[in-house]
């Protein structure tokens, strides 16, 4: 089973994902928000790559039960119902709803990887559920870190390393790429206290500056949800397990 980590999607084109099994990570905060929204009963998330498309999609499709969510520079976009704070996505607000989501890096990365054969959404919140599913699939896979503005972000790479380390507990024979080995090493160095690690990253510091300290706490919770969000047919939904 071969494992690779893509540190940022910026140099890749959409076709490079076709036929692959991809696990996508944007710990702060897009994938944590998606996992929490679906875990709280949202019907589906429609990730989009531009604000204009988000507004267009929200006009009439999906039977009126839609909410627009997302951020620019970490803040809620004018006219949108929700920002990108996972804590906003409570069951009271999202149950049964289709949520059109735009974020600076995370949803763009999902849209870029849309030709993947299998595409799963991972955060610290649901890491062991994703690990168990990948172990069960027994297939080569790549972890796509959303990164930040065309560059590596520590929190996504640490999460990738933690996911691989979890899978290695059951699958000793993983063939690791250099970036996979580097991610494991980063997790060993920075992954012991997730709350401290997230607070000290560039994006973590920006979120704290902008008043989102509670999001850091929330996104650092490990394995609190069993959700396996899966992208298919332009929407992310929870995988229905037999
Ligand atoms: C992103 O997609 O870049 C992030 O989720 C930004 C954020 O913290 O909202």
């Amino acid at each position: 089973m071969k494992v690779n980590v893509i540190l940022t999607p910026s140099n890749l084109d959409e076709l490079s994902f076709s036929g692959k099994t991809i696990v996508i990570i944007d710990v702060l905060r897009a994938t944590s928000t998606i996992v929490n929204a679906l875990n709280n009963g949202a019907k589906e998330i429609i990730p989009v790559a531009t604000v204009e498309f988000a507004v267009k999609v929200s006009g009439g499709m999906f039977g009126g039960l839609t909410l627009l969510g997302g951020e620019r520079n970490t803040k809620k976009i004018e006219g949108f119902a929700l920002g990108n704070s996972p804590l906003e996505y409570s069951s009271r607000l999202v149950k049964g709803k289709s949520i059109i989501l735009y974020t600076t890096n995370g949803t763009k990365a999902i849209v870029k990887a849309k030709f993947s054969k299998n595409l799963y959404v991972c955060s610290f919140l649901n890491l062991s559920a994703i690990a168990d599913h990948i172990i069960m699939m027994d297939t080569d896979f790549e972890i796509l870190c959303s990164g930040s503005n065309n560059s590596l972000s520590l929190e996504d790479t640490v999460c990738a390393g933690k996911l691989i380390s979890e899978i290695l507990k059951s699958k000793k024979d993983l063939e690791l790429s250099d970036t996979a080995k580097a991610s494991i090493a980063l997790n060993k160095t920075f992954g012991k206290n997730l709350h401290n690690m997230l607070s000290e990253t560039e994006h973590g510091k920006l979120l704290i500056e902008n008043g989102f300290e509670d999001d850091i706490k929330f996104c650092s919770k490990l394995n609190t949800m069993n959700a396996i969000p899966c992208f298919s047919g332009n929407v992310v939904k929870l995988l229905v397990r037999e």
Side-chain angles (χ1 to χ4, degrees):
M1 205 170 152
K2 288 186 189 158
V3 185
N4 182 38
V5 176
I6 303 164
L7 300 172
T8 158
S10 54
N11 291 326
L12 296 174
D13 72 45
E14 293 176 348
L15 291 177
S16 63
F17 294 96
S18 57
K20 292 183 177 171
T21 293
I22 300 287
V23 175
I24 190 152
I25 296 175
D26 183 4
V27 170
L28 295 175
R29 296 167 289 172
T31 60
S32 302
T33 294
I34 292 172
V35 170
N36 192 42
L38 290 170
N39 198 59
N40 281 340
K43 184 179 166 216
E44 59 201 357
I45 310 289
I46 302 117
V48 296
T50 66
V51 172
E52 294 68 31
F53 193 63
V55 174
K56 205 164 162 184
V57 173
S58 69
M61 286 169 83
F62 303 98
L65 288 170
T66 57
L67 287 175
L68 266 175
E71 56 74 37
R72 255 193 193 131
N73 303 321
T74 76
K75 310 235 175 73
K76 187 166 94 167
I77 299 164
E78 215 187 305
F80 279 32
L82 300 161
N84 188 32
S85 166
L87 294 167
E88 287 179 79
Y89 290 69
S90 63
S91 28
R92 188 180 63 80
L93 282 182
V94 305
K95 209 172 181 64
K97 301 272 172 47
S98 298
I99 298 161
I100 301 151
L101 187 66
Y102 167 84
T103 72
T104 311
N105 299 286
T107 61
K108 281 183 194 158
I110 297 175
V111 172
K112 199 170 212 185
K114 64 178 176 243
F115 295 130
S116 311
K117 183 173 173 205
N118 305 295
L119 178 50
Y120 303 108
V121 175
C122 182
S123 65
F124 287 120
L125 304 169
N126 66 333
L127 185 138
S128 71
I130 296 289
D132 289 347
H133 188 65
I134 294 289
I135 292 165
M136 190 270 293
M137 287 182 79
D138 198 19
T139 185
D140 297 347
F141 70 100
E142 300 198 35
I143 302 173
L144 173 59
C145 298
S146 303
S148 191
N149 303 319
N150 304 330
S151 182
L152 167 152
S153 73
L154 183 64
E155 64 274 16
D156 293 347
T157 318
V158 168
C159 188
K162 201 174 275 308
L163 177 65
I164 300 169
S165 303
E166 188 64 29
I167 295 169
L168 270 170
K169 288 181 193 163
S170 317
K171 291 236 165 245
K172 309 279 180 224
D173 58 341
L174 294 186
E175 237 182 89
L176 303 172
S177 71
D178 286 359
T179 51
K181 287 177 189 163
S183 305
I184 292 170
L186 283 178
N187 177 50
K188 278 200 182 119
T189 307
F190 294 103
K192 291 190 183 83
N193 184 328
L194 295 179
H195 183 252
N196 280 358
M197 184 272 293
L198 291 183
S199 309
E200 294 290 317
T201 62
E202 288 170 12
H203 195 64
K205 285 183 189 160
L206 179 68
L207 286 171
I208 292 169
E209 250 170 60
N210 288 344
F212 295 111
E213 193 151 7
D214 289 347
D215 287 0
I216 304 280
K217 208 178 282 169
F218 185 80
C219 295
S220 69
K221 290 182 185 164
L222 185 63
N223 299 329
T224 51
M225 297 173 197
N226 271 324
I228 302 180
C230 178
F231 178 87
S232 175
N234 296 318
V235 302
V236 183
K237 285 187 179 185
L238 284 186
L239 191 75
V240 182
R241 285 172 278 189
E242 283 106 49

